Amino acid sequence: MGVVLEPGNGRVLKRRQLLTLLALTGAAGCGSASSAETPAAQAGGGTPPPAPPSASPGATARLGSAMTVTSSAPAPSASVSTVASSGLGGAVQAPADRVMLGSYLALGGRSLQQSLALRRRQLGREQRIVHRFYPWDGYVPTSEPEVARSSVLMVSWHGAPYAGILDGGSDGNIRSVARKLKGMKRPILLRWGWEMNGDWFEWGGAQNGQSAASYVKVWRRLHRIFAEQGADNVSWVWSPNWNSSPGDSWNRVQGYYPGDDYVDWVGISGYNFFNETPSTLFDPVTDRFGGKKPIILSETAAVQGKAKWIKQLQSWVEKTPAVGAVVWFDTDIQEGTDNNFRFDTDSAALAAYRAMARSPRFSG
């Protein structure tokens, strides 16, 4: 998530803070805290380090016009209507004609285990994807025992400034993370350096010499090192924001695409901060990349008009075969904002989400 922009002039209204892995969910793989503990208490004490800003930009920045994507491999000939059922997705295969539904879970006053249990009772099903955030060079677990083996683990791994990666100075850290994820012995969706086309993260192009090409070089370096470590249980999720900020030509989303050989899933972050419809949020990226890669809505939630928007989301997904996964940003404890992204804030929204979760399309 990034920053919210005021419609019409792009002025920053409010900078959001995304709690770090330790602050939100505690040290993964080290047991659960009681329901009375706060997220900070779960982390093992102390004030967490500053985290990058975290809310989605609003409706002002738009995706640019078409630009040829440079790729080392020719684009597959599959159409948008068939790609999600064509066996693509790498280690985490896109289900045929179905969608995997999961979430990032950080509910106030509950551990991850307790949050998963609550959602299981409400929805009558497990989360097919459980989303976790890992720091770039901090604590990274060697297991996630609270995440059911029947669920796919999605890891959003924080990025870093490009220079310190391209000069080889981070190779040891990259190898260490690759070995830890490999050692989990489970399929993992790896979402590195997300929302790179925004100007709110230190790994965005705007913070790195306005160079989308350098992001591509970093991505390919990570991909190569993971391959050298034999981390073949990892599917690579390239995940831009739904629109670009700034909207300059150098920052067009397609310029950050690492190439078909280096991407397994294409993700999208998008929230209805200014009443955007799912079509507005997700069509541009889906139309551009859905013909060759399965699409995952890697961060999404409704901020307002939740029941109506969830129904719109279900309808949009049912009409968009390229989509293979949806991951809800399910939290009410995002630092620095009064936004509540939970889908159970009212009975109508809960009923709409339950209906979506139980529909055949979302049974992947």
Side-chain angles (χ1 to χ4, degrees), residues 200-223:
W200 44 87
F201 287 140
E202 64 177 349
W203 57 81
Q207 310 290 352
N208 290 270
Q210 298 185 348
S211 177
S214 292
Y215 178 91
V216 171
K217 292 178 182 178
V218 170
W219 181 282
R220 292 183 178 187
R221 187 182 191 92
L222 267 64
H223 193 280

Side-chain angles (χ1 to χ4, degrees), residues 49-232:
S54 70
S56 277
T60 53
R62 298 292 176 184
L63 289 168
S65 58
M67 177 186 294
T68 301
V69 175
T70 301
S71 172
S72 59
S77 59
S79 67
V80 171
S81 63
T82 61
V83 67
S85 59
S86 63
L88 297 176
V92 180
Q93 292 280 293
D97 303 318
R98 296 289 187 269
V99 169
M100 295 185 289
L101 179 63
S103 63
Y104 166 71
L105 267 170
L107 307 182
R110 296 177 186 268
S111 67
L112 176 60
Q113 186 176 24
Q114 292 164 342
S115 297
L116 288 166
L118 172 64
R119 294 300 186 238
R120 190 181 305 115
R121 290 194 300 271
Q122 290 174 322
L123 303 177
R125 54 170 289 173
E126 291 282 0
Q127 301 289 320
R128 280 292 287 122
I129 297 174
V130 177
H131 184 191
R132 307 283 273 163
F133 286 85
Y134 292 175
W136 168 247
D137 57 359
Y139 171 76
V140 171
T142 56
S143 66
E144 289 282 5
E146 293 178 322
V147 179
R149 300 305 294 187
S150 60
S151 299
V152 172
L153 173 64
M154 183 168 84
V155 172
S156 282
W157 184 22
H158 285 209
Y162 304 164
I165 302 176
L166 293 175
D167 67 6
S170 298
D171 285 2
N173 177 53
I174 298 166
R175 285 193 291 268
S176 175
V177 173
R179 289 193 295 266
K180 287 180 178 180
L181 297 187
K182 174 186 176 182
M184 288 190 186
K185 300 186 185 302
R186 64 186 304 156
I188 293 173
L189 291 163
L190 180 60
R191 178 181 178 243
W192 180 83
W194 63 97
E195 299 173 17
M196 74 301 292
N197 58 322
D199 56 7
W200 44 87
F201 287 140
E202 64 177 349
W203 57 81
Q207 310 290 352
N208 290 270
Q210 298 185 348
S211 177
S214 292
Y215 178 91
V216 171
K217 292 178 182 178
V218 170
W219 181 282
R220 292 183 178 187
R221 187 182 191 92
L222 267 64
H223 193 280
R224 174 179 59 78
I225 293 173
F226 267 65
E228 291 170 353
Q229 299 302 311
D232 55 7

Side-chain angles (χ1 to χ4, degrees), residues 17 233 275 306 311 338:
Q17 292 297 320
N233 60 317
N275 291 310
K306 292 185 180 181
K311 292 175 183 177
D338 55 3

Side-chain angles (χ1 to χ4, degrees), residues 31-64:
S32 301
S34 69
S35 60
E37 289 179 321
T38 64
Q42 294 177 39
T47 302
S54 70
S56 277
T60 53
R62 298 292 176 184
L63 289 168

Side-chain angles (χ1 to χ4, degrees), residues 59 271-278 280-281 303-305 309 312:
Y271 300 75
N272 73 334
F273 283 110
F274 298 105
N275 291 310
E276 297 92 345
T277 65
T280 296
L281 293 173
V303 178
Q304 51 190 318
W309 196 83
Q312 291 176 337

